Amino acid sequence: MKQYGLIGRRLDHSRSPEIHRHFFDHYGIEGCYGLFEIEPTNLAELPHALALLGVAGANVTIPYKEAIIPFLDRLSPTAQAIGAVNTLVCSGGKWVGDNTDAYGFSALLKHHGIEVEAQRVCLLGSGGASKAIEVALMEAGVGELILVTRQAEETRRKYEAAASEKPWLAQALAQDRLQIWSYETLETRKTPFRLLINATPVGMGSLSGQSPVGEGVLAGCEAVVDTIYNPRETRLMAQARSLGIPTAGGLYMLVAQAIASQGLWQAMEADPRWIDQLHQRLLRGDSAKDRPIFLIGLPGSGKSTLGKALAQALGWSFEDMDNYVEQLSGSTIPALFEQGEAYFRDWESQACLELAQRRKTVVACGGGVVLRQKNVQVMVDQGRILWIDRPLEAIRQDIDRSTRPLLQKDSEALTRLDQERRALYAEAAAMRIPNEGTQGRVLTEILEALAH
Ligand code: NAP
């Protein structure tokens, strides 16, 4: 069996194995595709390690698309023109760096019918993906490309230096066809764009729920592409949608670049019709049914017990948000509270963002997760919220107050929490589940509610 894989630093939310599995099934190839998380200090050894393991080809992602270059034997002309690598091909015992991101982005534009010829386009970020997109846009005949970066002066210097090895870049800079702006310039100039592209990680992972630009910038755009594919709709896309601007996410690009990488490894042409079919299939698989389920409610309302039972019934994973906060922060909940409730809530918001990107996961939330509207927004956008509503008397009989910082002070604290939060739970949740009677009965009620 031939082995392939993805090299990056944090890969737990990658969809690449799923895409490559479909490819192997479709073409009847005996292959497997793994995830190789490596630390920057080990990058130099990577090509040798891949050869030792018998890996036939690999993809490269954040943050190694440029950093890997010094350790490769040579670059393909495409990777040379881009200055970044997303595909490693083993050829005659040597590692060749190639790049299929430009192909993936061109395929995305074509699929969504976005024309950029002779148009003004704005591209956010100057990393590996951005460099491939620049080449794709130049090849598509873009009129004016505005590259927006957090460090305009430094990026300009780097681009001018790189121009000696990239003839297309030297020409584009000389003709002012490629301009480098800061975000301040972008926000103040209010320039209209045919297309705005996000090639930064703002909107995914720990930056989920954030947008790289304000609505003032978007107002002048005719279309928005976010190269992020998880979450399916980023904050930037939601902003654009609310302004009536058409949007596209990064899933099509992801599929197209992956199949083009397979084309390089298997020495065959990527079939655009099959890319379309696979894209549709992945979109269907992304259906609302896989989105995480968040259980909210007062401490002691049964969220963890019911959450575990629900996860088992669905064949999903279970996460306790407080445990996740402890792992994330490396501290206990009482210790976090000792630094002030806001400090704990910041960690909780971070956990909320990360867990919202899971698929097929039931999350038992902390009782106060609804106190921040941004947490509710993330959970509503990315998942479904169920309110587990248990009578206060039943909670009082069971609860272990020693482990609940907010209930330690006095016996009436629970009543006050209920008064403060009831309306918030009701407003946030798609459904209220009364937790009365046996666990089996409540679980059946939840499963029936979810089926609708
Ligand atoms: P990268 O090489 O790390 O570059 C990302 C760039 O984004 C950085 O160079 C930086 O540019 C900017 N950036 C980083 N952190 C930022 C922050 N906190 N705020 C504002 N800007 C920030 O990563 P990459 O491989 O290019 O990936 C970038 C994005 O493209 C990711 O979201 C990734 O998921 C997506 N992508 C999608 C596909 C696909 O197939 N759909 C393929 C590749 C990449 P400046 O320093 O110039 O501001």
Side-chain angles (χ1 to χ4, degrees), residues 34-340:
L35 296 175
F36 304 115
E37 287 190 348
I38 72 156
E39 291 302 316
T41 43
N42 296 329
L43 202 57
E45 266 94 48
L46 184 84
H48 182 57
L50 291 177
L52 279 181
L53 290 168
V55 173
N59 288 121
V60 182
T61 189
I62 298 179
Y64 301 131
K65 285 183 178 179
E66 294 165 77
I68 188 84
I69 291 177
F71 310 114
L72 301 176
D73 294 302
R74 64 184 168 85
L75 296 184
S76 72
T78 310
Q80 188 85 50
I82 292 170
V85 158
N86 83 329
T87 307
L88 303 184
V89 184
C90 192
S91 168
K94 304 275 182 206
W95 283 107
V96 181
D98 210 324
N99 198 310
T100 62
D101 278 339
Y103 170 85
F105 187 75
S106 304
L108 176 150
L109 287 186
K110 197 166 168 203
H111 177 75
H112 290 281
I114 303 171
E115 291 283 346
V116 294
E117 191 174 353
Q119 303 286 334
R120 186 188 297 119
V121 171
C122 176
L123 175 59
L124 309 177
S126 68
S130 169
K131 290 190 169 65
I133 293 169
E134 287 162 21
V135 167
L137 291 170
M138 289 293 157
E139 282 174 0
V142 68
E144 203 180 338
L145 176 57
I146 309 299
L147 180 77
V148 181
T149 160
R150 293 166 303 171
Q151 286 158 329
E153 281 311 314
E154 197 186 321
T155 306
R156 208 170 283 128
R157 271 198 302 278
K158 281 189 190 159
Y159 271 55
E160 277 161 7
S164 62
E165 288 173 15
K166 294 182 179 179
W168 72 265
L169 180 58
Q171 200 180 18
L173 288 172
Q175 294 170 343
D176 252 3
R177 200 169 152 219
L178 174 64
Q179 295 173 38
I180 297 170
W181 288 8
S182 65
Y183 281 89
E184 292 71 37
T185 307
L186 179 71
E187 299 278 348
T188 49
R189 283 209 192 160
K190 309 220 180 312
T191 309
F193 295 104
R194 165 74 187 97
L195 173 65
L196 180 135
I197 305 154
N198 179 32
T200 80
V202 180
M204 65 180 269
S206 60
L207 302 173
S208 191
Q210 296 182 32
S211 171
V213 292
E215 289 198 350
V217 171
L218 285 179
C221 297
E222 288 174 44
V224 168
V225 168
D226 200 327
T227 59
I228 292 171
Y229 60 88
N230 183 12
R232 176 103 73 79
E233 182 176 79
T234 58
R235 182 84 204 108
L236 174 73
M237 290 164 72
Q239 276 175 317
R241 190 166 46 82
S242 72
L243 294 169
I245 301 166
T247 62
L251 188 62
Y252 197 92
M253 177 177 171
L254 183 79
V255 176
Q257 62 78 32
I259 303 309
S261 293
Q262 284 288 355
L264 293 171
W265 298 327
Q266 315 300 339
M268 60 191 272
E269 282 275 312
D271 176 357
R273 281 167 312 172
W274 191 68
I275 294 175
D276 278 358
Q277 284 167 21
L278 181 53
H279 175 240
Q280 276 169 20
R281 186 168 175 171
L282 293 174
L283 283 179
R284 281 200 302 274
D286 264 357
S287 71
K289 287 194 174 128
D290 289 350
R291 292 162 62 186
I293 296 169
F294 295 96
L295 304 185
I296 60 171
L298 286 174
S301 58
K303 291 165 293 185
S304 296
T305 313
L306 282 169
K308 283 179 195 156
L310 177 61
Q312 196 177 20
L314 294 170
W316 288 17
S317 335
F318 171 79
E319 284 283 359
D320 179 292
M321 197 178 276
D322 280 350
N323 289 348
Y324 195 82
V325 166
E326 291 190 332
Q327 284 165 26
L328 207 59
S329 63
S331 187
T332 63
I333 302 290
L336 293 173
F337 262 88
E338 272 170 24
Q339 302 200 50

